[in-house]
Amino acid sequence: MPQVNGRFVPDMKSPRTADNEEPAAERACDFRPVDKGFTEEMALAEAERCMDCKRPFCVEGCPVNINIPKFIEQIRAKNYGGALDIIREESMLPAICGRVCPQENQCEGKCVRGKKGEPVAIGQLERFVGDQPELASAPKMLPKNGKKVAIVGSGPSGITCAGELARNGFDVTVFEAFFTGGGVLVYGIPEFRLPKAVVKREIDGLEEMGVHFEYNSVVGNITNAEELFEEGFDAIYVATGAGLPKFLNVPGENLPNVFFANEYLTRVNLMKANNFPEYDTPTKHGKNVVVFGGGNVAMDAVRTAKRLGAEHAIIAYRRTEEEMPARRAELHHAKAEGVEVMPLVSPLEFVAGEDGTVCAVRVQKMELGEPDDSGRRRPVPIEGAIEEIPCDVAISAIGTNANPFAAKIGGQMELNKWGYIVADEETGQTTDPRIWAGGDIVTGAATVILAMGAGKKAAASITASLTGAAE
Ligand code: FAD
Ligand code: SF4
């Protein structure tokens, strides 16, 4: 480590360490992880680029304010366990966040080195230490306090809350509708971006801490809030996500082989439809696939279609590439894998072929007009500019709504007019003082780190409320 008068001197000349990716043509044929992560040598070189700023803007950019320069300093000292302990003070899931957080809009977007060049690869460094959990200190567990908490949903918000509460001495049971834990991390985000084993490792860790998981348990169906309280639970945290697909509301949307992205991804990610008939769930392996949307979900769907054998895979988006909300890395990877981006189009109608399944989609060409409420320029139809794109699979990835089961969970929770749970921003407490809520079911579809942050805040509030401990 270069030093002058005992002080670390950053390496200002080195370019950002390039990602360690599988070659695009090879990886697009199977579900292997696209990014292999930094080697130790790469991590040490990248850590030397951090300037250890007096005012680290990167920390302000991180939604949970991880002490980034401090953990990078520990990497430079080769104390990887120490680096992980620092991250874990704020984030329970570094191996996951290092892989999927939109760092370019968060920590790396604020990194001072990014002003005149490339920011420090903070996400890759987080992942590097997150992938060595065996080096971290054992979690400090408080003695059991005799209180029981039920968590509804095992996505990032639910499992973060569960982990925090287990550490604080609570008996925690997580009720999950699916047969396995992780929420979108397992059913939505594909293996090539976030291996299932990484998520399982986190769930296993929680089980080792004493968290109990009840799978195939839909709260609002097999049981509800009042029954859980009668069974002896002292509080409930609801983290059911926002997985209800939004309709395109165009003719032909119900045709065979027109999918919602979440359904398509769940079939492949969770039900292993790519291995049909070895596994029971089939899906259509399209040759010409069109995906509508411009976010991470659309990217995951189109890259999955490519891996299922699509020769022509298109992302059709009503604005331009610049306005796409997807992580830049995903767009870059998709294009490298041969995905075509078709900007400024909006679907008008899905057309059926002779066999009754979708054979084309008619689209309206758009142009950008004045900015809308989101600050992005509004797409406006160009009169008479209509095209037909041939396809044998079409996928809609234009967003999701609140999970409707939230309304059936019961208690005195208030929902807003869109079906999201009303909860205090700081504590997560709902209008029913026995119930807390957080993650996508409160904010609408957002990010993993925000869902985790909500779980952590709620755990602190539940702890304070049930034990009187200071938050
Ligand atoms: P979820 O992850 O949705 O988990 C909710 C869980 O609750 C699910 O397991 C569900 O089965 C369960 N559940 C629902 N109702 C009940 C019930 N009544 N009883 C019991 N269990 C129930 N974010 C990023 O930061 N980076 C990305 O790259 C990224 N990519 C994404 C890709 C896809 C395909 C999708 C769909 C989302 C992506 N996101 C990404 C968004 C991110 O995954 C979500 O914001 C986050 O998972 C929300 O977490 P959550 O815990 O609130 O809900
Ligand atoms: Fe290091 Fe960038 Fe953070 Fe400064 S802003 S401490 S250079 S990561």
Side-chain angles (χ1 to χ4, degrees), residues 30-67:
D30 57 38
F31 284 78
R32 79 181 80 165
V34 165
D35 189 324
K36 292 182 276 186
F38 279 178
T39 60
E40 182 176 19
E41 198 186 342
M42 293 164 90
L44 289 172
E46 191 59 20
E48 301 257 319
R49 293 184 68 238
C50 170
M51 301 193 296
D52 198 6
C53 301
K54 276 209 178 104
R55 181 167 172 200
F57 285 98
C58 54
V59 179
E60 292 171 27
C62 170
V64 295
N65 302 120
I66 293 172
N67 192 334

Side-chain angles (χ1 to χ4, degrees), residues 152 177 216-225 227 405 407-410:
V152 187
N216 304 309
S217 300
V218 183
V219 177
N221 187 342
I222 55 144
T223 182
N224 61 32
E227 282 175 16
F405 263 100
K408 297 187 183 164
I409 288 171

Side-chain angles (χ1 to χ4, degrees), residues 99-102 152-158 175-178 180-185 187-190 193 217-221 239-243 262 265 296-297 300 327 330 400 403 405-406 409 438-441 444-449 451:
R99 284 173 168 85
V100 304
C101 267
V152 187
S154 70
S157 202
F175 295 89
E176 168 54 53
F178 275 127
T180 188
V184 167
L185 304 177
Y187 79 74
I189 304 182
R193 219 152 61 79
S217 300
V218 183
V219 177
N221 187 342
T240 46
N262 272 11
L265 289 168
N296 289 319
V297 183
D300 285 342
R327 290 177 79 219
E330 307 318 327
T400 50
N403 185 325
F405 263 100
I409 288 171
D440 283 5
I441 189 57
T447 59
V448 171
I449 191 84

Side-chain angles (χ1 to χ4, degrees), residues 145-161:
N145 60 27
K147 304 279 183 188
K148 280 174 66 175
V149 181
I151 311 265
V152 187
S154 70
S157 202
I159 59 178
T160 300
C161 189

